Amino acid sequence: METAVSAVEKSAIRKVAFRLVPFVALMFFINFLDRTAISFAGPNGMSKDLGLTAAQFGFAAGVFFIGYVLLEIPSNLALHKYGARRWLARIMVTWGIVALLFTWVSSVEGLYTLRFLLGVAEAGFFPGAILFLSMWVPAKHRSHILALFYLAQPLTIVIGAPVAGMLIEAHGTFGLEGWRVMFAGVALPAIAVGVIAWFYLADKPADAKWLSEAERTWLTTALAAEARTKRTSHVSDVKKALTNSRVWLLALVYFGLIYGLYALAFFLPTIIGGFESQFGTKFNVLQKGLITAIPYLPAAVALFLWSRDATRRGARSWHVGIPALLGAVSIPLALYMSTPAATVAVITITACAIFSALPTFWSIPARFLSGAAAAAGIALINTVGNAAGFIAPFVTGAIKDVTGSYQVPMFVVGGLMLLSSLVIFAIGAGTRQESALSADMRGKVIAD
């Protein structure tokens, strides 16, 4: 009997991995490319055409997150109420329409407005996707599934940076500057895939016609049993989730990780563009796109292998803390290298560190949150973390304008990632102490 159950479990998880994860990862790929397209446009004509300073570019990159943060929790609660299929499809079509409007932006104020509206349109997508996938697999498989999903983020740059470069080099198409062609080229797929998502996704295993009856039963039973456990011993109330100290500490950890991610994502193309003045090297737009992509391919491999280890051993605090510490040390060092190759090599270490930490991090909240509390708690963590998406590019650009270099802002990034490392290790120590105390109490009850 155990063998039959094991076979059903294996086939159910495999089908979820092959049927749902690639499609949701494609949505995430387009999502991350649309929100970071400004980083390719800036050094390739947009900043010059619109007369942007580094601080203005940083503000334009970051203002996205104001609208995003304001609507994050309401959007995720709406997803829980109306279903992921409808809500994720709606989000995607809406942001695709807003992203397309960047093709015709003509002023700094217009750029700020569209970036804000893009954040409003995208609000809830990422935590919604995390929540959606978490509702399809039990806890022991979640780290693996989220890692497969998260591969889309580094691959966005690996594939997206050269694609953005090719679109920018299509200067003059329809009479548009290259950076405008690029905005149109990355926006249209969002609308198309959003429409497809409405028909392709299913809200829960019970609705999935592509699962066998035995697979649907196993997934539904396993998830229901897990939900009952959380209701009796974990946080299942929205208000408690939003005031839970562990949720807020995890939000602080995520803030540091996301600060590093977006400082890297928004300014790496600009740093690479500065190689000409710093080292006397010259690259065309496509070559710059390919160089930008270099750190992210090893990052994708590191993410997959590190997450597989976390799945095999069981996710531990050090699966997040060690990469965060490595990123904290490596990111400031990158700007002290003496050649472009050495700079990119150290940045590659930073990218590997950040992307190794993120998927394992997201397996942690679902351990003690369920139902609407999971929707609210995950959204809160993502909201606080994505505040870094606004702060990181703005502060990085402003400090660069004042100091004339990126050294000081990269030390700020390193400091915040160090804080993330220290906090997650503290959370892990507290959890182990709590588990030991619970085990001790259970032993005393049994003895009595």
Side-chain angles (χ1 to χ4, degrees):
M1 184 67 181
E2 184 65 28
T3 304
V5 171
S6 177
V8 169
E9 176 179 352
K10 199 175 293 184
S11 64
I13 298 301
R14 189 187 303 117
K15 284 187 180 180
V16 171
F18 281 98
R19 169 84 185 199
L20 287 184
V21 176
F23 188 82
V24 181
L26 174 64
M27 297 169 76
F28 185 33
F29 176 96
I30 298 169
N31 172 257
F32 195 70
L33 186 58
D34 279 345
R35 74 168 64 176
T36 57
I38 189 173
S39 69
F40 302 112
N44 291 295
M46 186 188 74
S47 290
K48 182 180 178 181
D49 291 346
L50 301 183
L52 298 174
T53 65
Q56 286 175 321
F57 173 79
F59 183 79
V63 74
F64 164 95
F65 292 96
I66 295 178
Y68 190 89
V69 162
L70 288 174
L71 295 178
E72 188 87 325
I73 294 174
S75 180
N76 227 33
L77 290 174
L79 180 144
H80 183 264
K81 181 177 181 179
Y82 298 114
R85 178 180 65 86
R86 293 184 183 89
W87 202 250
L88 291 177
R90 193 281 305 162
I91 290 173
M92 200 163 189
V93 171
T94 306
W95 102 54
I97 292 170
V98 175
L100 187 60
L101 297 177
F102 280 83
T103 308
W104 299 283
V105 68
S106 59
S107 66
V108 176
E109 294 75 19
L111 182 65
Y112 291 165
T113 301
L114 285 177
R115 285 290 294 177
F116 174 80
L117 291 176
L118 186 65
V120 169
E122 284 192 24
F125 173 78
F126 177 76
I130 292 288
L131 178 63
F132 172 66
L133 291 174
S134 296
M135 294 189 301
W136 274 83
V137 291
K140 67 178 180 178
H141 299 287
R142 205 164 283 142
S143 183
H144 173 63
I145 291 296
L146 292 179
L148 293 176
F149 162 70
Y150 235 108
L151 279 171
Q153 196 166 32
L155 291 178
T156 299
I157 311 299
V158 173
I159 301 168
V163 168
M166 286 188 287
L167 289 170
I168 289 168
E169 288 202 322
H171 183 84
T173 304
F174 305 115
L176 298 171
E177 292 91 344
W179 61 270
R180 296 182 187 274
V181 175
M182 186 270 298
F183 273 124
V186 299
L188 291 171
I191 300 171
V193 174
V195 171
I196 294 169
W198 182 277
F199 302 98
Y200 185 83
L201 296 179
D203 285 320
K204 54 187 183 295
D207 298 335
K209 296 178 181 178
W210 40 271
L211 290 171
S212 70
E213 185 65 36
E215 290 161 347
R216 280 197 297 271
T217 300
W218 182 84
L219 279 171
T220 303
T221 303
L223 289 165
E226 189 176 287
R228 283 194 298 273
T229 302
K230 290 178 184 177
R231 277 195 294 271
T232 57
S233 61
H234 292 69
V235 181
S236 57
D237 177 77
V238 171
K239 185 177 179 181
K240 288 181 180 177
L242 296 178
T243 56
N244 184 274
S245 60
R246 197 181 305 178
V247 169
W248 280 97
L249 286 172
L250 287 172
L252 179 60
V253 173
Y254 194 56
F255 181 92
L257 295 174
I258 292 300
Y259 197 101
L261 174 67
Y262 282 113
L264 197 66
F266 286 126
F267 284 93
L268 180 56
T270 302
I271 291 169
I272 290 170
F275 282 171
E276 183 174 351
S277 59
Q278 187 178 358
F279 302 115
T281 55
K282 190 170 179 64
F283 304 105
N284 62 34
V285 175
L286 180 57
Q287 287 171 328
K288 289 176 185 176
L290 290 170
I291 294 169
T292 301
I294 288 172
Y296 293 93
L297 187 56
V301 175
L303 179 158
F304 180 76
L305 295 176
W306 193 251
S307 298
R308 189 167 69 172
D309 183 78
T311 300
R312 183 172 60 85
R313 297 174 188 264
R316 301 285 188 268
S317 60
W318 57 263
H319 280 109
V320 178
I322 290 176
L325 182 60
L326 185 60
V329 174
S330 62
I331 198 163
L333 289 180
L335 297 181
Y336 289 92
M337 297 298 104
S338 58
T339 66
T343 303
V344 173
V346 178
I347 288 173
T348 298
I349 294 172
T350 304
C352 288
I354 293 171
F355 285 107
S356 293
L358 288 172
T360 304
F361 172 85
W362 279 115
S363 70
I364 296 172
R367 293 181 189 174
F368 64 97
L369 298 171
S370 65
I378 289 172
L380 175 62
I381 292 168
N382 200 53
T383 296
V384 174
N386 276 291
F390 168 70
I391 296 169
F394 179 65
V395 169
T396 301
I399 296 176
K400 194 269 179 184
D401 279 346
V402 172
T403 63
S405 75
Y406 285 103
Q407 269 87 353
V408 175
M410 290 305 111
F411 272 105
V412 174
V413 176
L416 286 168
M417 291 192 69
L418 176 61
L419 179 62
S420 291
S421 179
L422 295 174
V423 172
I424 196 67
F425 278 125
I427 291 172
T431 302
R432 285 192 298 274
Q433 189 176 22
E434 186 180 293
S435 298
L437 182 61
S438 297
D440 186 51
M441 290 299 292
R442 283 196 299 271
K444 286 182 180 179
V445 169
I446 291 170
D448 291 343

